[in-house]
Amino acid sequence: MNPTDGTKGEPAGAPRPARRAVLRTAFTAAVIAGTGGALAPVLLGTQGPAGADRERGAVGPERFSELYKGREIRGTVTTTVPAGAQPYAAAPPDDGKQPHAGAQPYAGEAGAAAAVTGTEVSVDGRPLHVMRRADGSYLSTVNHYESFPTLLETARAAVDELGPAQLSAASPHTI
Amino acid sequence: MYSRKNQRDLTRTEKKRLVDAILELKRSGRYDDFVSLHRQYYVTDAESRPRPAHMTPSFFPWHRRYLLEFEKALRAVDPRVSIPYWDWTRDNTASSSLWADDFLGGNGRPGDRQVMTGPFAYRQGNWRIRAGVTDDPFLRRNFGRPSSPVTLPAAADVERALKDPVYDTEPWNSVSTTGFRNRIEGWGIRGGRGVANHNRVHRWIGGSMAGAASPDDPVFWLHHAFIDLLWTRWQKAHPRSRYLPARELPAGDPQRDRIFPLDRPMPPWDVAPSQLMDHSRLYRYV
């Protein structure tokens, strides 16, 4: 634990598996949560301009859990691969027209475009809806008119703006 | 044809009529429909959906139409009212008459940032926040955000934006570094400029105005009337400049189906930016 801010998150400089290995891992399971240590750079690379990728790479993958100003803030990167977009996990097709997943070594790359990159951030267990800008930065429902380079900064800024208030439990998930 | 006045010039009676009309919309439920609409059309530029309202060239015309709809609702309650504008380069302190007890009420109190004064204070019984970002049923303000201080934009900040002769530029989103639109909308540019003008004012007020349900604070309308006036001033300063993009973007341009060129109808009203370029037959700023 970091004595200055109570951070328990994984170090940003965790070793990263080779890209292919990461992709294979990613598309083996339908849902992989809390994989910030290895997946975030690949997933974030599927969208946004090159500059954003560099910035994200510099900041590192995000997974955190800390006490900030007395509030528990948590963040994870979650990826959901929609059903039917899992070339390595799906059963072999039976109509003979669709290519067999195993015969398509680059199917994973195509699948990457269909993968939905998600982020889950919470303050005291209540979900903080987070959105992204084209430059890869984040903004939340609490701070709608400024953005932050990392999820951690987004969560901390939300706490600053909330004061003692609790996020609405009924907050619509998509806005 | 009616006038939109500087809020500092309103008489006591005009302020009361406006406040009463707003409270009536709140009572009837229509006010909260406007809050939800704004929330619904907040689409960011990392999404592939169309974004008519923010991070987009149609930031000005979309909000012009949004204010017109709200003003129409207000005037159905009382035909003598219109939306005043707040020139935050001039009335830039917490002691402005804007925040007095007879108008919008003042800053939130320390601690929970609850607005305690004026007609929109929760304890007055007429202003309950129903679908806000937090659980709190009261309006929140946090002027200047003391935890990380922010100031209101200066007149020079607005002047710099008004001098840009180009309406908007590629990539037509929140990272457009030049062009009048984003200089006023005010998205921070990494390694460039900080949060500016429109966005900065939302941030300075803080609380409800900083978040997804910003129209929960009635100052939203006065702020956006000034933004609308700045668009008119820019048009007058650059009579040969035009709204951009003027035509549909080429096939293959990633922004093609996300933004609204001059003649593409905007939701939810199915009205194109080209139909909102000139307000002079509807209202004028005095």
Side-chain angles (χ1 to χ4, degrees), chain B residues 9-286:
Chain B
D9 298 327
L10 295 181
T11 65
R12 185 173 288 267
T13 306
E14 287 171 329
K15 288 178 187 175
K16 183 168 187 337
R17 283 181 184 143
L18 177 64
V19 166
D20 287 348
I22 292 172
L23 292 178
E24 171 55 25
L25 291 184
K26 182 71 172 178
R27 192 200 60 75
S28 71
R30 288 213 64 196
Y31 193 95
D32 292 341
D33 293 341
F34 281 98
V35 180
S36 300
L37 183 77
H38 192 262
R39 204 165 171 157
Q40 182 185 348
Y41 282 94
Y42 194 102
V43 177
T44 75
D45 53 8
E47 299 177 60
S48 54
R49 295 187 288 154
R51 47 170 208 281
H54 300 94
M55 308 184 182
T56 193
S58 51
F59 167 74
F60 284 100
W62 192 90
H63 282 88
R64 173 168 287 177
R65 180 63 189 225
Y66 181 53
L67 259 66
L68 279 168
E69 292 289 324
F70 181 70
E71 200 166 43
K72 189 165 79 178
L74 282 177
R75 288 166 65 81
V77 175
D78 184 344
R80 294 167 296 188
V81 305
S82 62
I83 305 174
Y85 62 91
W86 168 36
D87 180 349
W88 26 258
T89 67
R90 189 175 176 190
D91 295 305
N92 56 2
T93 70
S95 57
S96 159
S97 60
L98 174 69
W99 310 112
D101 291 1
D102 68 345
F103 202 16
L104 300 190
N107 195 7
R109 67 182 175 185
D112 66 4
R113 291 142 192 200
Q114 177 173 179
V115 171
M116 300 300 290
T117 57
F120 305 105
Y122 179 71
R123 61 180 182 181
Q124 295 289 323
N126 298 316
W127 204 257
R128 180 184 183 88
I129 304 297
R130 293 189 180 86
V133 170
T134 74
D135 270 349
D136 298 327
F138 50 81
L139 179 64
R140 293 175 300 120
R141 290 181 186 142
N142 187 29
F143 289 170
R145 196 173 59 185
S147 70
S148 174
V150 54
T151 56
L152 282 170
D157 299 324
V158 170
E159 287 310 311
R160 202 172 302 119
L162 286 171
K163 277 191 183 129
D164 194 325
V166 178
Y167 177 77
D168 205 351
T169 57
E170 288 181 344
W172 316 109
N173 61 15
S174 74
V175 297
S176 296
T177 52
T178 61
F180 169 71
R181 190 270 309 168
N182 201 28
R183 289 184 191 278
I184 289 293
E185 188 177 3
W187 287 101
I189 305 293
R190 199 172 286 174
R193 59 177 186 259
V195 177
N197 295 314
H198 159 265
N199 280 7
R200 195 177 180 91
V201 173
H202 277 275
R203 226 167 55 143
W204 183 84
I205 295 167
S208 305
M209 265 290 268
S214 50
D216 270 333
D217 191 331
V219 77
F220 175 95
W221 309 102
L222 285 73
H223 171 38
H224 269 276
F226 187 56
I227 295 297
D228 189 72
L229 167 58
L230 292 179
W231 185 23
T232 301
R233 284 185 185 161
W234 177 84
Q235 287 174 314
K236 284 181 179 159
H238 307 281
R240 294 201 295 200
S241 296
R242 293 289 179 269
Y243 179 92
L244 294 172
R247 280 179 287 280
E248 294 288 338
L249 299 179
D253 189 307
Q255 297 297 324
R256 180 181 164 91
D257 295 320
R258 303 184 189 182
I259 65 162
F260 293 80
L262 186 62
D263 292 314
R264 182 186 287 206
M266 299 179 293
W269 315 286
D270 212 25
V271 168
S274 57
Q275 296 167 271
L276 292 159
M277 290 295 123
D278 179 10
H279 63 71
S280 64
R281 284 190 299 175
L282 296 170
Y283 59 87
R284 64 193 169 111
Y285 285 103
V286 295

Side-chain angles (χ1 to χ4, degrees), chain A residues 55 126 131-135 137 139 141-146 149 160-169 171-172 175, chain B residues 38-39 42 44-46 111 113 133-136 145 173-174 187-188 190 199 202-203 206-207 209-212 214:
Chain A
E55 175 92 16
R126 298 275 180 96
M131 291 149 281
R132 303 190 79 191
R133 276 178 66 194
D135 65 0
S137 61
L139 60 161
T141 47
V142 175
N143 299 91
H144 237 30
Y145 299 92
E146 61 188 313
D160 289 338
E161 191 63 56
L162 284 169
Q166 286 289 351
L167 287 166
S168 170
S171 186
I175 296 161
Chain B
H38 192 262
R39 204 165 171 157
Y42 194 102
T44 75
D45 53 8
R113 291 142 192 200
V133 170
T134 74
D135 270 349
D136 298 327
R145 196 173 59 185
N173 61 15
S174 74
W187 287 101
R190 199 172 286 174
N199 280 7
H202 277 275
R203 226 167 55 143
M209 265 290 268
S214 50

